[in-house]
């Protein structure tokens, strides 16, 4: 499950091995209850991509699971091993000269997450990797920018099993505002006391 540059959520899965498969039901997985609410249907055994253009990954974590069905409309059970979007939040510390990044962990890749990479675009430039943390962390303090820079930041999780399998977070954009200490003091007058 990943968030696209335009804010949609797209996800892929492996096709069902049953030749009787006619399609898949897409579910919004409700973590607290363990229930799932159907949100859409994808037809075809080898149709294994879905784009959610309705739910907003910039306001919360979104959780998904699927179930296959056959031509008799018999539905398999959905998996409790749901996958989720990465929800990035950022706060600035003007006196600290940094942007504090926090996100939720990506779960249920078979071999887990290798690492989380921090990617940033400065003043509309291309995205470049500016940092990374291991899979045990869910935060990063980014500070390689200038006062007034326009920043757009995403977090990218990489699968331990295959680093080509990634999940991008929602994009957070902000203008950097940092307080700089004076670099010099200009004295205009000096007197000697008697």
């Amino acid at each position: 499950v990943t968030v696209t540059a335009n804010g949609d959520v797209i996800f892929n899965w492996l096709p069902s091995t049953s030749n009787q498969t006619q399609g898949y039901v897409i579910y919004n997985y409700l973590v607290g209850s363990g229930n799932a609410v159907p949100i859409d249907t994808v037809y075809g055994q080898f149709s294994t991509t879905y784009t959610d253009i309705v739910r907003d990954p910039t306001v919360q974590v979104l959780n998904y699971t699927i179930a296959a069905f056959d031509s008799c409309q018999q539905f398999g059970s959905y998996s409790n091993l749901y996958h989720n979007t990465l929800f990035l939040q950022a706060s600035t510390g003007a006196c600290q000269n940094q942007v504090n990044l926090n996100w939720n962990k990506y779960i249920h890749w078979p071999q887990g997450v290798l690492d989380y990479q921090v990617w940033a675009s400065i003043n509309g430039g291309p995205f470049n990797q500016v940092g990374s943390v291991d899979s045990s962390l869910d935060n990063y303090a980014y500070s390689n920018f200038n006062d007034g820079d326009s920043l757009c930041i995403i977090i990218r999780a990489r699968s331990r099993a295959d680093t080509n399998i990634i999940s991008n977070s929602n994009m957070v954009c902000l203008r950097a505002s940092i307080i700089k200490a004076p670099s010099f003091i200009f004295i205009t007058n000096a007197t000697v006391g008697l």
Side-chain angles (χ1 to χ4, degrees):
V1 176
T2 190
V3 179
T4 65
N6 64 354
D8 295 336
V9 178
I10 188 168
F11 59 98
N12 303 288
W13 58 92
L14 297 173
S16 169
T17 56
S18 170
N19 291 333
Q20 302 300 318
T21 301
Q22 293 295 304
Y24 306 90
V25 176
I26 310 301
Y27 293 93
N28 177 19
Y29 189 83
L30 306 173
V31 177
S33 68
N35 293 324
V37 176
I39 58 173
D40 211 341
T41 305
V42 175
Y43 293 93
Q45 178 184 358
F46 298 103
S47 298
T48 58
T49 298
Y50 178 76
T51 302
D52 186 348
I53 59 173
V54 176
R55 281 150 201 79
D56 186 355
T58 66
V59 297
Q60 65 182 355
V61 177
L62 301 174
N63 306 297
Y64 298 93
T65 189
I66 63 169
F69 64 90
D70 65 18
S71 59
C72 295
Q73 298 297 303
Q74 295 179 27
F75 295 87
S77 59
Y78 58 80
S79 173
N80 289 332
L81 298 178
Y82 61 91
H83 286 246
N84 59 281
T85 58
L86 293 175
F87 178 50
L88 172 63
Q89 299 179 77
S91 60
T92 57
C95 294
Q96 301 166 329
N97 301 334
Q98 66 187 25
V99 176
N100 299 309
L101 306 170
N102 296 284
W103 60 91
N104 60 293
K105 294 184 178 184
Y106 193 96
I107 58 174
H108 295 139
W109 272 331
Q111 294 179 16
V113 173
L114 175 65
D115 61 9
Y116 295 100
Q117 298 176 335
V118 181
W119 289 72
S121 167
I122 300 175
N123 298 321
F127 275 88
N128 293 299
Q129 184 181 343
V130 296
S132 68
V133 297
D134 68 46
S135 62
S136 68
L137 299 175
D138 58 5
N139 58 76
Y140 185 82
Y142 176 52
S143 59
N144 192 19
F145 55 85
N146 296 312
D147 186 35
D149 280 349
S150 292
L151 306 173
C152 287
I153 302 168
I154 62 170
I155 300 299
R156 175 174 290 168
R158 295 191 306 159
S159 167
R160 185 176 302 279
D162 180 349
T163 58
N164 293 314
I165 299 174
I166 61 168
S167 176
N168 290 329
S169 72
N170 58 300
M171 184 186 316
V172 173
C173 295
L174 56 119
R175 181 167 299 280
S177 177
I178 58 179
I179 298 172
K180 293 184 178 181
S183 57
F184 66 92
I185 297 175
F186 184 71
I187 300 174
T188 59
N189 190 20
T191 60
V192 176
L194 295 175

